[in-house]
Amino acid sequence: MTYAYHFVGDTLLDGSPVPKDGEVLRFDGRPILGLQGLHGSLHPFDAMFSSPITLRNPVLCLVSIGGFIVYGHNKLVGTERTIIRRINATELLLRYARHQAHGVFHL
């Protein structure tokens, strides 16, 4: 089991409902990084670029990835994912956007 971060919207990418905290989501098949399986990122920053984020419902989850796991440079995919905790990341994302804009303001 590895802890990771994952953004969710109103539903999962396949349209199914987002599981409740503590509910184990299982993938029956061979996980392939970036293609299939239950993904997560090793840092919240990386999760921003690995997940489609909807500004209507930007929810960042701390998850555990388990089962058979394939590791990449900054993300991983497994056959099991459990949401441990979730937060509304709107303010975090806006703060990041302001920081990025401030960094290029001089240009």
Side-chain angles (χ1 to χ4, degrees):
M1 177 183 65
T2 300
Y3 293 108
Y5 298 90
H6 179 72
F7 274 96
V8 295
D10 297 327
T11 63
L12 297 178
L13 287 178
D14 66 359
S16 61
V18 177
K20 297 178 181 177
D21 293 3
E23 184 180 327
V24 179
L25 192 60
R26 290 187 172 81
F27 174 74
D28 293 324
R30 183 173 157 247
I32 300 172
L33 200 60
L35 294 176
Q36 63 183 25
L38 300 167
H39 288 79
S41 297
L42 297 175
H43 190 276
F45 180 82
D46 295 323
M48 284 192 316
F49 298 105
S50 297
S51 303
I53 301 171
T54 168
L55 291 178
R56 268 191 16 248
N57 190 17
V59 176
L60 177 62
C61 300
L62 172 63
V63 298
S64 65
I65 305 287
F68 182 76
I69 301 174
V70 176
Y71 291 88
H73 174 67
N74 58 359
K75 60 185 173 180
L76 63 154
V77 62
T79 55
E80 297 177 356
R81 183 174 64 210
T82 306
I83 297 175
I84 298 168
R85 185 170 181 193
R86 66 184 86 200
I87 64 165
N88 182 313
T90 300
E91 185 54 40
L92 181 68
L93 293 169
L94 290 173
R95 187 180 314 161
Y96 174 74
R98 286 190 298 268
H99 176 76
Q100 292 297 100
H102 183 68
V104 296
F105 185 73
H106 65 284
L107 299 175

